[in-house]
């Protein structure tokens, strides 16, 4: 009889624990997924570890990583399961977004977009690329789901608008993200030392984007108090525990705005003089905010923004011994290709 693989052993162990935890109680175990995307080295792993009460140093995320957590909602109740996915590499690995988001998981899925506030020139492009890629894939999955379960697809579309009150004045002016979305601005400790005008533009822009997509928005740093607030938000997404209704829109303090509590009238117009607003030729409010933002924080050139597609060539994962062996093997492969090519040419000549 062949020995079991590591995957089979792990799967059996999880099934055994779940069986023991819910045996005979008749209570269904909840299961949700949270997908962390965002700026490279923006603090995604730190947020996940704190949310799971894991006291360990964060490591660089390579490609797509997974972990899970369990938590009971009450005394003597089975523990719910939360799946945590994290996409590494900033915007360089967008194709991997489709792996965790499927028609089976979509209805219990949430997105957490972590943006590095200390790098405002990268902020819009990172946000735009990740949100567009995610939304495009989610829309396809919902369309596919609608062909087999039209009721479920319809319920998903209705549910996402439930975050906003029916009498909210902006209800028909926004375009909610198809699944729950939280936008987190990290490294607030650096951001708070920015010039007042720069902070104003970043805050107003992120408030508009979050409100337009029906998302929550909050800033965080290494501060214990801020990390605890973020942990509460993640616990709500992952385990449905305690939804916050607090709000802070003061640009001189860390923003904290729960989805549906902001408004376009409170956010105001893009921060440019009224006589300059007509100079920005935009086809939509989102495009207008983008043009205003990028005027103050021009994106880096395409060459600078070009991410490394192959993680093996990324300097943050460099290991001298492994890299030397890789170079040697690459050279051996090239030599083999050349010798093989010569052999085939000789065969063709002989024939």
């Amino acid at each position: 009889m062949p020995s079991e693989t590591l995957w089979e052993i792990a799967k059996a162990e999880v099934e055994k624990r779940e069986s023991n935890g819910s045996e005979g109680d008749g209570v269904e175990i909840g299961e949700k997924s949270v997908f962390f995307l965002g700026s490279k080295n923006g603090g995604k792993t730190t947020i996940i570890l704190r949310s799971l009460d894991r006291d360990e140093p964060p490591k660089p995320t390579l490609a797509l990583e997974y972990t899970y957590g369990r938590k009971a909602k009450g005394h003597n109740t089975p523990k719910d399961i939360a799946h945590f996915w994290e996409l590494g590499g900033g915007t360089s690995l967008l194709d991997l977004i489709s792996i965790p988001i499927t028609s089976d998981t979509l209805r219990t899925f949430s997105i957490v977009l972590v943006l590095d506030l200390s790098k405002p020139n990268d902020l819009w492009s990172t946000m735009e690329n990740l949100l567009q890629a995610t939304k495009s894939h989610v829309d396809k999955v919902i369309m596919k789901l609608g062909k087999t379960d039209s009721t479920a697809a319809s319920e998903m579309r209705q549910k996402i608008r439930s975050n906003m009150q029916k009498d909210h004045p902006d209800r028909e002016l926004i375009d909610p993200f198809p699944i729950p979305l939280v936008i987190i601005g990290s490294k607030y400790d650096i951001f708070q030392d920015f010039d007042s005008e720069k902070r104003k533009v970043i805050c107003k822009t992120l408030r508009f984007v979050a409100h337009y997509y029906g998302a929550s928005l909050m800033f965080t740093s290494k501060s214990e108090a801020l990390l605890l607030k973020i942990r509460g938000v993640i616990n709500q997404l992952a385990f449905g525990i305690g939804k916050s209704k607090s709000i802070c829109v003061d640009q001189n303090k860390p923003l904290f705005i729960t989805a549906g509590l902001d408004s376009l009238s409170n956010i105001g117009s893009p921060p440019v003089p009224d006589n300059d607003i007509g100079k920005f030729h935009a086809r939509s409010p989102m495009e207008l905010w983008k043009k205003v933002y990028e005027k103050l924080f021009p994106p880096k050139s395409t060459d600078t923004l070009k991410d490394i597609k192959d993680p093996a060539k990324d300097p943050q994962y460099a290991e001298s011994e492994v890299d030397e062996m890789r170079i040697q093997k690459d050279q051996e492969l090239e030599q083999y290709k050349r010798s093989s090519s010569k052999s085939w040419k000789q065969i063709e000549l002989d024939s």
Side-chain angles (χ1 to χ4, degrees):
M1 182 178 175
S3 59
E4 290 182 299
T5 65
L6 183 62
W7 174 253
E8 289 169 339
I9 294 170
K11 185 180 177 184
E13 180 65 22
V14 171
E15 288 174 349
K16 179 183 175 183
R17 290 180 184 177
E18 290 175 3
S19 175
N20 290 341
S22 60
E23 195 172 39
D25 53 26
V27 180
E28 186 179 350
I29 295 175
E31 198 167 344
K32 295 186 178 183
S33 299
V34 185
F35 195 4
F36 286 77
L37 317 165
S39 305
K40 194 172 183 178
N41 301 319
K44 300 182 291 295
T45 306
T46 299
I47 294 172
I48 293 173
L49 292 174
R50 291 306 302 271
S51 300
L52 293 173
D53 287 329
R54 293 183 187 170
D55 186 17
E56 56 187 81
K59 298 175 182 177
T61 302
L62 178 61
L64 183 67
E65 295 197 3
Y66 167 82
T67 188
Y68 73 96
R70 298 168 67 90
K71 193 180 291 284
K73 288 182 180 177
H75 187 59
N76 287 333
T77 60
K79 292 183 177 180
D80 291 340
I81 303 169
H83 306 280
F84 289 85
W85 296 87
E86 181 185 355
L87 182 70
T91 59
S92 64
L93 300 168
L94 297 178
D95 291 345
L96 298 182
I97 287 174
S98 61
I99 293 176
I101 306 177
T102 67
S103 53
D104 292 328
T105 63
L106 190 63
R107 277 167 281 189
T108 57
F109 221 94
S110 300
I111 300 292
V112 176
L113 177 66
V114 181
L115 299 171
D116 187 342
L117 296 174
S118 71
K119 298 178 180 177
N121 296 80
D122 296 337
L123 190 146
W124 187 282
S125 60
T126 298
M127 174 175 67
E128 184 177 55
N129 288 332
L130 288 169
L131 288 181
Q132 284 182 355
T134 306
K135 186 175 186 299
S136 174
H137 176 66
V138 170
D139 286 341
K140 288 177 185 176
V141 175
I142 292 177
M143 191 177 296
K144 183 181 177 182
L145 179 64
K147 292 178 181 178
T148 56
D149 192 343
S150 57
T151 304
S154 177
E155 284 176 354
M156 279 196 65
R157 294 189 183 98
Q158 292 173 8
K159 182 182 178 183
I160 201 62
R161 286 193 172 270
S162 65
N163 284 331
M164 183 169 282
Q165 296 175 357
K166 291 183 178 180
D167 58 350
H168 196 292
D170 303 336
R171 193 172 176 83
E172 301 304 320
L173 302 175
I174 65 170
D175 184 19
F177 207 71
I179 54 179
L181 171 66
V182 171
I183 299 175
I184 297 176
S186 64
K187 302 187 182 179
Y188 176 78
D189 49 327
I190 300 173
F191 170 79
Q192 66 183 345
D193 294 329
F194 281 13
D195 173 76
S196 173
E197 190 59 31
K198 289 183 177 181
R199 281 188 283 113
K200 176 183 176 183
V201 172
I202 295 171
C203 286
K204 290 191 70 170
T205 301
L206 288 178
R207 282 180 65 188
F208 171 79
V209 173
H211 184 60
Y212 183 80
Y213 283 126
S216 296
L217 172 66
M218 52 216 59
F219 290 174
T220 190
S221 68
K222 295 177 181 178
S223 156
E224 189 66 26
L226 291 179
L227 283 171
L228 280 173
K229 292 182 80 171
I230 296 298
R231 179 183 163 190
V233 172
I234 303 304
N235 275 334
Q236 197 279 319
L237 293 176
F239 303 106
I241 299 172
K243 189 171 182 178
S244 174
K245 291 284 187 181
S246 63
I247 183 168
C248 176
V249 296
D250 186 347
Q251 71 179 48
N252 296 311
K253 297 178 181 179
L255 296 184
F256 192 99
I257 309 167
T258 305
L261 297 186
D262 213 342
S263 68
L264 294 175
S265 60
N266 286 335
I267 296 168
S269 57
V272 289
D274 291 338
N275 55 341
D276 286 349
I277 201 80
K279 297 177 183 177
F280 295 92
H281 302 290
R283 291 166 294 180
S284 68
M286 184 66 75
E287 188 177 351
L288 175 60
W289 279 88
K290 177 182 178 179
K291 287 178 178 292
V292 171
Y293 182 86
E294 291 188 339
K295 184 181 180 183
L296 183 60
F297 301 108
K300 294 181 179 178
S301 66
T302 19
D303 290 337
T304 312
L305 280 175
K306 192 176 181 182
D307 283 307
I308 298 169
K309 294 290 181 183
D310 184 358
K313 297 176 182 176
D314 193 326
Q316 74 167 314
Y317 305 120
E319 290 186 44
S320 57
E321 293 181 2
V322 175
D323 294 339
E324 286 171 12
M325 183 61 71
R326 173 66 186 267
I327 292 170
Q328 181 184 328
K329 292 298 179 185
D330 286 344
Q331 289 171 347
E332 291 174 0
L333 178 61
E334 286 303 315
Q335 188 177 352
Y336 173 77
K337 286 178 179 177
R338 285 195 297 270
S339 62
S340 297
S341 177
K342 288 178 183 177
S343 299
W344 279 110
K345 284 178 181 177
Q346 187 62 46
I347 292 170
E348 288 173 359
L349 288 172
D350 292 345
S351 60

